[in-house]
Amino acid sequence: MANIFDVAKKAGVSIKTVSRVLNNAPNVRQATQDKVRASMMALDYQPSNAARELRSGRSKSIGILLGDPSSGFQARLHHAALQACSDAGFFLTVGLFDESADDWAGQLDDFLSRSRVENMILVPPLCDSEVLHAHMRDRGISFGLISPSRPVPDAYSIGMDEQQAAFDITMHLIRMGHRQIGHITGPTGHVATGLRLAGYQAALAESGIQPNPDWVRPGKFHFRDAQICAERMLANREERPTAIFAANDEMAAAVCFTANSLGLDVPRDLSVVGFDDVAIATTIWPPLTTVAQPFNAMADAAIRLLVNRPSETRSPPDSSILQLEYQLKIRSSAAPPIHQ
Amino acid sequence: MANIFDVAKKAGVSIKTVSRVLNNAPNVRQATQDKVRASMMALDYQPSNAARELRSGRSKSIGILLGDPSSGFQARLHHAALQACSDAGFFLTVGLFDESADDWAGQLDDFLSRSRVENMILVPPLCDSEVLHAHMRDRGISFGLISPSRPVPDAYSIGMDEQQAAFDITMHLIRMGHRQIGHITGPTGHVATGLRLAGYQAALAESGIQPNPDWVRPGKFHFRDAQICAERMLANREERPTAIFAANDEMAAAVCFTANSLGLDVPRDLSVVGFDDVAIATTIWPPLTTVAQPFNAMADAAIRLLVNRPSETRSPPDSSILQLEYQLKIRSSAAPPIHQ
DNA sequence: TTGAAAGCGCTACCAG
DNA sequence: CTGGTAGCGCTTTCAA
C-alpha cells in the first residue's frame, strides 16, 4: 500500500505538503493541492491511522459504552452512532458495560486505558452518572451525552423535548376523536417516565378531558409489565379506554398483544401508540404509530460537537441540552374511535 | 501515560525485554518476566496500540460487515462478536453494509482500505458471496464465516447443525403429544430454510406422522408474512394444528400474536416454538421455547481461529464447517396439547 | 538470555 | 507558501 513518500514523489512535492493536504491545513496553493490529491487518487493512497494516531496523539476512534443488548433503544442508538462515525470518517469503539455491576468507574477506567479514546459518547442510563463524568474529566476525556436528564458542565448534551412529543402524540389521539385515553408509564425514577407522563397529562388538561387515575399504570418499559397493565385497563368492558399511549414501543407492542387476546382489534377497537420508534415498532403488525426519536441526528450532533471542538466551536460546551427535532410517525396502530 | 522506556527503567532491563514479555516471546527468564510484569503493574502501563500496529503491521482490530440493523439475528451476532473480541483483547471494527446495493465488492474494498483490518468475520447473507471471498483472498485478508451454506477454501467456517436442531425441536413437540404440527418456513433460496424444513419433516416421518401440506407455509422470516400464514393455518377450527414450529423467532412471535387474536391461548390452545433465540424470544409473553444458536461460541471460535492462525493452528483452514452445540431453550410457549 | 539501534508512516516544529 | 528533520512508542533484526 502506498505511503506518504510515494504520494509526495509522484506529485513532486515534499511529504510535508502532502500532510498539509491530508489535514486540510491552510497555506497550500490550490494547484498544489490538486496535484497532491490527484496523486493520492492514482496511487489509491490511504493514510495509516496507526501512524497518525501515534504521531499526533489523537485517535480516530470515539468510544461508547453499551449495556443491555436486548434494549431496542440502545440497539438503535448504537446503530446511529456507528452510522455517524462512519460518515465522519471515525471509528466507533464499543465498550461492553455491565450496568448491574457495582464498579462503574472501574469499568470506565479499564475501557479508557485499553482503548485510548479521548472522546466518549454516553447514553442512558450511564449518561447521568456523576462518577463517570468526574472520571472522564480527570482523564481529560471530552464527552457527549445523549438524552441526559439534565445538562452537565463541560459536556455536550443532546436530546429532544420528550414532554412536548408526548403531548403531541396524545393530541394526535385526541384530534382523532379519542377522549378515553390510557397511559402506561416507564419505571419511576427514570426521567423520561415523568416527562412523557407530563406531556400526556397536559394534553388531556388542555382538551378538557378529566383524567381517569385507573388508566395510568406503571409498565417499567417492559413488555410483560405493560401486558398486565393493559389487561387491567381493558378488563372492564363498560368503561375502558379507546386508546392507549404506552411510554415506549415495547410496551405498545404488549398492549397490541393483550388487546388481541381480549378479542379487540387494533386499531378498530383500540388505538395504540408508542414512543421511540425502535425495531419492534415496524416488526409487528399493525406497525405502530409512535414518536421517532432523532437517533441519527443525535449521534451526528454528538460526534460533530466532539470532533470539531477545538476549531469550529472553540468555546467549551455551554450548559444546556441541544434539543433536536423528533417526528410523529403515523402508522396504522391508531385510528379514530368507533362511535355508536 | 507510562511507556515502554519507563517500564524498562523501573525493572532495570532493556525495552527489548519488556517487549518480549509483552509479546509472550520465549527466552525470557521467569525472574525477569516477573520483574517486568511488576513494573508494568506499578506504572499502570498500557502498550500503545497505534505504535504496535504501526511497527508490526498487525492490527488489533477484527472487521465485520453488518447490514440490516433491525434483524434480531444480526444484532445478536454483532453483540457476540463484540463480546468475543473484547475477551480476546481485540477491537471490533464494524462496517455498515448495504446489502441491497449492487456494489458489494466496492463496499468491501472501501471498508478494507479505510479500516486496514486483516481479519474479517462474515455473517449471512454476505458470508456466501464468492465475489467477497475472492476480494479478500486477493488482499491477503484472513476470514471466518459464520453460518455459511457451505465451507469455503482458505476460510474458517463455523456453524451448527440446523437440520438436527429443527428435528430436535419438532421432536420436543411430538414427545409432548402433538401430532398436528405446522411449520412456517423462511424465504426460498435461504439455506437455513431448507435445513429447518428438512429437520421438521424428518421428525414427522420418524414418528409416523402424515404431513399435511396445508400446514407448511412460507413466512420469509418476517413477522407480517408469518402472521398471514398463521391466519390461514388456524382458520379452520375443525382441522388445525395444535402446535406450530416457526423457522425463526420473529415469525414465532407473529404466530403467538395471531393465535391471540383468534381467541387462542398460547400455550394452552396452541403451542409455538421458534428458532434462533434472539431478543424477541424473551421480550414477548409467553417467552418462546426455541433453539438457541451458539452465537457467543461461534464468534469466539471465529476469532480464536483467526487470531491463533499462525502459531496454534498452523495449518490453513480445512474445508469443513466447525459445528458448534446448539441448545433447546424450553420456555413457556409450548405445552402438551389438551385432549378431550 | 539480553541489549543496541533502526525504522514503521506520519505530524509538527522551525527554517526559508 | 513550502521543505527538512526530529521523533511518537513500539517491534525487529543483528550482535553479544
Side-chain angles (χ1 to χ4, degrees), chain A residues 57-80:
Chain A
R58 258 174 281 121
S59 155
K60 270 284 180 196
S61 302
I62 290 174
I64 192 171
L65 260 17
L66 258 20
D68 180 12
S70 66
S71 143
F73 179 81
Q74 278 204 12
R76 189 63 194 73
L77 222 31
H78 181 183
H79 188 258

Side-chain angles (χ1 to χ4, degrees), chain A residues 88-149:
Chain A
F90 276 69
F91 296 96
L92 188 71
T93 300
V94 178
L96 261 16
F97 200 91
D98 182 356
E99 294 163 358
S100 63
D102 295 328
D103 192 22
W104 282 23
Q107 289 188 68
L108 172 66
D109 277 337
D110 282 355
F111 176 74
L112 255 20
S113 307
R114 271 180 27 82
S115 69
R116 301 214 173 190
V117 297
E118 60 232 359
N119 291 291
M120 289 281 302
I121 292 179
L122 256 42
V123 304
L126 268 37
C127 59
D128 282 325
S129 160
E130 297 188 1
V131 188
L132 259 32
H133 302 158
H135 267 253
M136 294 196 291
R137 267 192 289 261
D138 284 354
R139 302 184 58 145
I141 308 287
S142 310
F143 53 106
L145 271 19
I146 292 185
S147 277
S149 38

Side-chain angles (χ1 to χ4, degrees), chain B:
Chain B
M1 179 155 265
N3 68 16
I4 199 170
F5 286 92
D6 301 328
V7 175
K9 189 171 345 154
K10 187 173 174 73
V13 298
S14 76
I15 61 162
K16 175 61 219 187
T17 299
V18 177
S19 171
R20 285 200 179 92
V21 173
L22 227 40
N23 295 285
N24 299 310
N27 302 345
V28 180
R29 208 186 311 161
Q30 187 59 50
T32 314
Q33 271 194 47
D34 295 343
K35 253 194 324 198
V36 173
R37 273 190 228 285
S39 158
M40 295 199 290
M41 205 65 112
L43 294 164
D44 193 25
Y45 170 70
Q46 283 292 136
S48 149
N49 286 316
R52 301 180 89 171
E53 179 173 340
L54 173 58
R55 183 58 242 232
S56 68
R58 259 174 279 121
S59 153
K60 271 285 180 194
S61 302
I62 291 175
I64 192 170
L65 260 17
L66 259 18
D68 180 12
S70 66
S71 144
F73 180 82
Q74 277 202 13
R76 190 63 193 75
L77 223 32
H78 181 182
H79 188 259
L82 230 26
Q83 187 73 262
C85 275
S86 170
D87 291 349
F90 276 68
F91 296 96
L92 188 70
T93 300
V94 179
L96 260 16
F97 199 91
D98 182 358
E99 294 164 359
S100 64
D102 294 328
D103 192 21
W104 284 22
Q107 290 189 66
L108 172 66
D109 277 338
D110 281 356
F111 175 75
L112 256 19
S113 307
R114 271 181 27 84
S115 69
R116 301 217 174 186
V117 297
E118 60 233 359
N119 290 293
M120 289 281 300
I121 293 179
L122 256 45
V123 305
L126 267 37
C127 60
D128 283 324
S129 160
E130 297 189 1
V131 189
L132 259 30
H133 302 158
H135 268 252
M136 295 198 287
R137 268 191 289 262
D138 284 355
R139 301 183 59 144
I141 308 287
S142 310
F143 53 107
L145 271 21
I146 291 186
S147 278
S149 39
R150 56 178 170 286
V152 166
D154 307 324
Y156 299 99
S157 299
I158 294 136
M160 57 164 274
D161 190 337
E162 305 226 1
Q163 181 168 343
Q164 183 65 45
F167 177 88
D168 289 357
I169 200 159
T170 309
M171 283 306 286
H172 171 70
L173 257 12
I174 293 172
R175 270 195 292 268
M176 277 182 162
H178 293 278
R179 296 188 65 83
Q180 288 150 274
I181 305 174
H183 180 51
I184 301 182
T185 70
T188 28
H190 199 302
V191 239
T193 300
L195 262 14
R196 295 174 193 181
L197 173 61
Y200 158 80
Q201 290 170 328
L204 295 197
E206 182 163 316
S207 313
I209 299 174
Q210 201 56 245
N212 179 334
D214 283 347
W215 293 352
V216 174
R217 292 182 179 266
K220 301 184 190 162
F221 283 162
H222 293 310
F223 190 98
R224 178 56 178 153
D225 295 282
Q227 208 174 10
I228 293 167
C229 294
E231 278 163 12
R232 300 250 162 83
M233 272 193 231
L234 299 172
N236 183 351
R237 300 189 67 89
E238 309 305 312
E239 184 72 12
R240 68 178 167 210
T242 60
I244 292 177
F245 163 34
N248 77 358
D249 291 337
E250 266 126 19
M251 298 199 299
V255 175
C256 295
F257 217 80
T258 306
N260 277 182
S261 64
L262 294 171
L264 266 26
D265 180 82
V266 175
R268 202 195 57 209
D269 306 316
L270 179 75
S271 284
V272 179
V273 298
F275 203 105
D276 287 347
D277 197 22
V278 296
I280 202 171
T282 46
T283 296
I284 63 163
W285 190 269
L288 295 174
T289 288
T290 190
V291 172
Q293 293 220 42
F295 292 111
N296 291 311
M298 292 195 293
D300 268 344
I303 282 164
R304 211 187 314 279
L305 288 170
L306 248 17
V307 165
N308 295 341
R309 180 174 33 94
S311 50
E312 186 175 309
T313 334
R314 60 164 46 257
S315 55
D318 58 355
S319 276
S320 65
I321 299 184
L322 174 63
Q323 302 274 22
L324 265 24
E325 299 282 318
Y326 56 87
Q327 220 188 324
L328 237 62
K329 289 280 181 193
I330 309 297
R331 291 196 277 242
S332 43
S333 66
I338 298 172
H339 291 290
Q340 45 250 0

